[in-house]
Amino acid sequence: MSPTQWDLPPELCCRPLAFVALTGLDVVYNAVHRAIWDAFCANRRADRVPISFKVLPGDHEYPKCRTKRTSYEWYIPKGILKTGWMNKHLNLVPALVVLFYELDWDDPQWKEKQSECATKVEIVRTSLQGRNTKVAVVLIQKKTPLPPGEDVVASERASALCNACDLSGKSLFVLPHTDHLVGYIIRLENAFYEHAQTYYYTEIRRVKSHKEFLNKTTHQLLFVRHQFKTGFFSELKQDTQNALKYYRTAYGLVHELRAHETNMLEIKTMAGFINYKICRLCFQHNTPLDAIAQFRKHIDLCKKKIGSAELAFEHTAWMSKQFQSFGDLFDEAIKVGLTAIQTQNPGFYYQQAAYYAQERKQQAGQLCSHEPNVGYPTPDPLDTPGAALDFYGQRAWRQGHQSIDPPDPEKEKKGILALQLKEKDIPHSVRVQTDFVILILFSSKDPVKKMLCPSHRHTHMVQMGEEYYHAKDYTKALKLLDYVMCDYRMERWWSLLTSILGTALKCSYLMGHVKDYITYSMELVGRASTLHSEQKSRIEKNLIKVLMNEVPDPEPECDPLSVKAARALWNERVSLAGSNEFTIEVQDYVPFVQCKAKFLSPSFHVDDPVQLNVYLRPHF
């Protein structure tokens, strides 16, 4: 599986727009056609109708329409939602196909051109065989038309053209190419939008009509599928209130499905998709409390649906993505005006996403540690014939299988092994970093920075620093940890400071940074450190070695390869003994030496020498 397996599909996350295909436009070589296309695409402000336009050739082949099912009596569904369905209705199957054709009412070759236009319309209809997609014609004309009813020739020829093309009068439009082109285009868009609304309304009715043929014994998956499709078509129709209603119904139905180990991932995947849609629409309707309540319900229902124990890391990866996606939605809502509060803000959800990312890392370490002689199974059980799964959330080696027991136990073992080996190759520290980077970047933004208390920000930065350390990016780790240590010193959080200093000391050793190494060592053997005496003694011996211009012993639990590279750096530093002089500003740290001064007399006369004693007390 790819590292992006848990990312939500872009077609789920986008705002669904009615898809209208424009044909008959040569936008490359025809300047008039190019100007028309630019008017459709350029400056699409919020007040323009929500339509997605695409220029396609007149003979473009649209996805074939399957034979309409008349009975579900013996039909057993193989999954909930096909992976290509949303993209198909967003980008491949238009609600309306508009044919642009250059033809003036007084064209001397009217008959021939009318016939040619009718042929082009028939070609479009043939390519849409079986679909409810509407077809319209726009005549590009050089002259501004007369008001309706004043041009008798235009009325007669428009009627004749509609008959020849089998079009209603509401599907024939005129577009004069004049100085007011954009105004005409906006009027056309509004008419197209009405046709698209009719198409999606028809599709909703078509999906709903299946319900009477379904039974709850064998068609539970179809109840979920049809409610999701109806909600999606409602979004395309821009009826978000009804879309929300259908998605809520779909969400309830998906949790009524009988869950077992072989279908748990599919149920969770679809539950996650529908939950995302519900939360997005709640934020869109400015009802954030409904979104938060829905998300809490979602997590409560899904957090124990782990599935196969051998693939538990998949569950934590999925949970991490749920929290991160909701945090993104919350963040977007704040950017457009929603006011967050300290107890409810995106930072909390990002923090939970990072927590589950860490859990995934730990589980992967436990479950994917196979012996070196264990090879990747062949043939690859994760390969799919069409480069993509048929249904969201299914296993590649048993697509379409819905029974409780896997069809082939041997294939099941190979599939699980393949997933474990793929997981082992994922750079988990880098992936966990990504969650923390999002978290820290988010928590630094106003107004949320004011809402996250300092201790939360410190915790996040320490966690992020630790992950950079595990990812062997020691420079970034030190930068983050140094920032937090300043506050921990001021607030006297000695145990936390000691823990961070330990990681900082490892980073400075592995980078061969002598000055930092000396500074952290002095602090760790001092009074602020909560280390045991044996640990302090070990650090003290290393510090003396460095002061004697010798290479220190490596810190415990450091990566062996990094230690090998560090030794080379230290040997190089030691060989440059003449330049190993450092000034350390101890007022910025909690040093291992306490200093106190005392005057020898309570008062002194002018010009008399002033005598005082300076006391130094080391804390080794």
Side-chain angles (χ1 to χ4, degrees):
M1 296 286 179
S2 70
T4 57
Q5 174 196 357
W6 307 108
D7 292 346
L8 297 175
E11 53 268 30
L12 179 84
C13 302
C14 70
R15 179 193 174 189
L17 301 176
F19 174 34
V20 173
L22 310 180
T23 69
L25 291 177
D26 181 357
V27 297
V28 177
Y29 299 108
N30 189 313
V32 172
H33 291 191
R34 180 73 208 183
I36 292 170
W37 173 237
D38 287 343
F40 275 110
C41 296
N43 300 319
R44 292 207 65 83
R45 302 183 306 271
D47 57 346
R48 299 273 290 262
V49 289
I51 294 180
S52 168
F53 291 107
K54 193 180 287 187
V55 171
L56 298 173
D59 59 351
H60 177 76
E61 287 194 21
Y62 300 95
K64 293 283 185 267
C65 185
R66 290 181 305 168
T67 308
K68 298 290 187 286
R69 187 177 297 281
T70 55
S71 170
Y72 283 88
E73 191 175 352
W74 302 105
Y75 178 64
I76 305 295
K78 295 182 178 180
I80 301 175
L81 185 68
K82 287 215 165 187
T83 52
W85 187 85
M86 286 185 285
N87 181 62
K88 181 171 74 173
H89 289 282
L90 285 170
N91 300 306
L92 302 178
V93 177
L96 172 69
V97 177
V98 183
L99 170 66
F100 285 81
Y101 190 73
E102 294 191 39
L103 180 60
D104 287 286
W105 297 125
D106 58 356
D107 193 293
Q109 295 179 305
W110 171 263
K111 283 286 184 186
E112 293 84 349
K113 290 196 172 180
Q114 174 184 287
S115 177
E116 184 183 14
C117 182
T119 303
K120 288 178 180 289
V121 170
E122 188 55 34
I123 290 170
V124 170
R125 281 211 179 94
T126 303
S127 64
L128 291 166
Q129 191 79 40
R131 298 205 175 272
N132 295 319
T133 300
K134 308 295 179 186
V135 179
V137 172
V138 175
L139 300 181
I140 303 172
Q141 299 186 340
K142 299 183 183 70
K143 302 173 185 175
T144 304
L146 296 171
E150 292 187 18
D151 191 337
V152 178
V153 174
S155 299
E156 289 176 355
R157 290 193 165 179
S159 178
L161 185 61
C162 285
N163 288 333
C165 298
D166 193 18
L167 290 172
S168 74
K170 291 183 178 180
S171 299
L172 178 64
F173 305 94
V174 172
L175 177 61
H177 187 256
T178 64
D179 294 339
H180 304 292
L181 180 63
V182 174
Y184 282 111
I185 292 290
I186 289 174
R187 288 172 63 185
L188 275 180
E189 281 182 357
N190 292 328
F192 296 166
Y193 184 62
E194 287 183 22
H195 281 292
Q197 293 275 87
T198 305
Y199 167 78
Y200 291 121
Y201 174 73
T202 305
E203 289 300 288
I204 289 169
R205 289 191 63 184
R206 180 181 62 79
V207 175
K208 282 184 174 181
S209 69
H210 296 304
K211 187 175 181 180
E212 60 186 278
F213 302 110
L214 306 183
N215 67 75
K216 287 228 170 186
T217 306
T218 53
H219 299 141
Q220 302 99 320
L221 303 185
L222 295 184
F223 282 98
V224 180
R225 181 192 300 176
H226 292 168
Q227 288 296 316
F228 182 88
K229 286 185 174 183
T230 309
F232 197 81
F233 280 133
S234 296
E235 277 197 279
L236 284 163
K237 190 173 173 283
Q238 306 308 309
D239 182 1
T240 54
Q241 291 291 350
N242 271 321
L244 186 56
K245 182 184 76 173
Y246 294 126
Y247 286 138
R248 287 190 189 280
T249 305
Y251 190 82
L253 289 168
V254 82
H255 284 292
E256 289 179 11
L257 297 174
R258 185 182 176 192
H260 40 81
E261 207 169 279
T262 52
N263 73 348
M264 194 76 78
L265 182 60
E266 184 173 12
I267 288 174
K268 278 194 307 191
T269 299
M270 282 309 301
F273 285 7
I274 302 167
N275 171 75
Y276 182 87
K277 283 289 192 184
I278 294 171
C279 294
R280 187 183 182 92
L281 288 173
C282 286
F283 279 123
Q284 193 175 315
H285 294 160
N286 202 27
T287 55
L289 294 180
D290 289 350
I292 292 167
Q294 163 62 31
F295 185 74
R296 284 176 177 167
K297 171 185 170 184
H298 173 60
I299 294 301
D300 285 344
L301 287 170
C302 295
K303 64 186 176 185
K304 292 185 180 176
K305 290 185 174 172
I306 297 170
S308 170
E310 296 168 286
L311 300 173
F313 52 83
E314 285 192 334
H315 178 68
T316 44
W318 180 85
M319 288 288 284
S320 178
K321 178 53 67 174
Q322 299 308 296
F323 277 99
Q324 185 183 327
S325 300
F326 187 77
D328 290 343
L329 287 175
F330 206 157
D331 189 18
E332 284 174 22
I334 288 171
K335 286 175 184 173
V336 296
L338 178 70
T339 303
I341 58 175
Q342 184 157 346
T343 54
Q344 283 299 333
N345 63 77
F348 167 76
Y349 300 96
Y350 287 131
Q351 183 182 18
Q352 290 298 106
Y355 164 77
Y356 278 108
Q358 286 179 307
E359 285 283 299
R360 175 190 183 182
K361 176 184 172 184
Q362 291 169 5
Q363 289 175 342
Q366 294 165 1
L367 296 169
C368 307
S369 300
H370 296 284
E371 295 295 326
N373 60 345
V374 176
Y376 193 85
T378 53
D380 188 351
L382 305 184
D383 269 351
T384 51
L389 293 168
D390 289 337
F391 291 91
Y392 286 113
Q394 293 193 352
R395 300 296 186 191
W397 62 87
R398 49 172 161 81
Q399 294 189 72
H401 183 80
Q402 289 294 327
S403 64
I404 294 175
D405 298 317
D408 186 335
E410 192 57 35
K411 271 189 179 179
E412 195 73 15
K413 285 180 185 176
K414 288 182 178 179
I416 289 171
L417 175 61
L419 289 170
Q420 289 175 336
L421 293 175
K422 289 271 187 182
E423 183 74 10
K424 185 179 179 181
D425 291 339
I426 292 173
H428 286 95
S429 285
V430 175
R431 288 186 60 78
V432 175
Q433 276 178 39
T434 305
D435 284 304
F436 284 128
V437 167
I438 292 168
L439 176 61
I440 298 303
L441 289 178
F442 181 85
S443 64
S444 67
K445 294 177 185 175
D446 287 327
V448 179
K449 186 174 180 181
K450 299 171 186 174
M451 295 184 294
L452 290 178
C453 64
S455 63
H456 280 183
R457 286 203 300 274
H458 292 156
T459 302
H460 303 155
M461 294 186 103
V462 169
Q463 289 173 321
M464 188 172 166
E466 294 280 354
E467 287 306 322
Y468 274 127
Y469 167 74
H470 289 300
K472 302 178 186 177
D473 193 340
Y474 306 120
T475 304
K476 287 181 181 176
L478 262 186
K479 188 175 180 181
L480 282 165
L481 296 176
D482 265 337
Y483 179 87
V484 176
M485 280 191 277
C486 294
D487 289 337
Y488 283 2
R489 288 186 190 102
M490 284 181 7
E491 295 170 22
R492 298 174 180 268
W493 290 349
W494 304 133
S495 60
L496 295 174
L497 178 63
T498 302
S499 175
I500 298 169
L501 281 168
T503 305
L505 186 65
K506 290 176 185 177
C507 291
S508 59
Y509 170 79
L510 293 171
M511 290 191 296
H513 284 190
V514 182
K515 182 177 177 180
D516 286 340
Y517 185 85
I518 293 171
T519 304
Y520 299 135
S521 295
M522 289 196 304
E523 201 163 7
L524 280 168
V525 299
R527 68 183 189 279
S529 171
T530 60
L531 292 177
H532 297 302
S533 56
E534 309 87 62
Q535 294 169 298
K536 286 187 176 184
S537 177
R538 180 188 60 78
I539 294 171
E540 180 189 343
K541 287 174 183 174
N542 269 339
L543 175 58
I544 292 170
K545 278 188 176 183
V546 174
L547 296 176
M548 299 295 291
N549 208 45
E550 297 176 11
V551 177
D553 293 333
E555 290 301 300
E557 300 175 0
C558 284
D559 175 67
L561 290 176
S562 299
V563 168
K564 187 177 179 182
R567 281 207 171 114
L569 288 170
W570 279 95
N571 285 323
E572 185 181 335
R573 301 285 191 276
V574 167
S575 67
L576 302 171
S579 61
N580 282 354
E581 293 182 6
F582 306 103
T583 302
I584 296 172
E585 303 290 341
V586 292
Q587 70 269 18
D588 297 331
Y589 305 96
V590 184
F592 66 92
V593 176
Q594 277 185 295
C595 179
K596 184 172 75 172
K598 179 184 176 182
F599 290 105
L600 294 184
S601 175
S603 61
F604 295 92
H605 293 288
V606 177
D607 296 331
D608 281 353
V610 176
Q611 290 185 320
L612 67 156
N613 286 346
V614 177
Y615 300 89
L616 296 175
R617 185 170 71 174
H619 287 273
F620 285 104

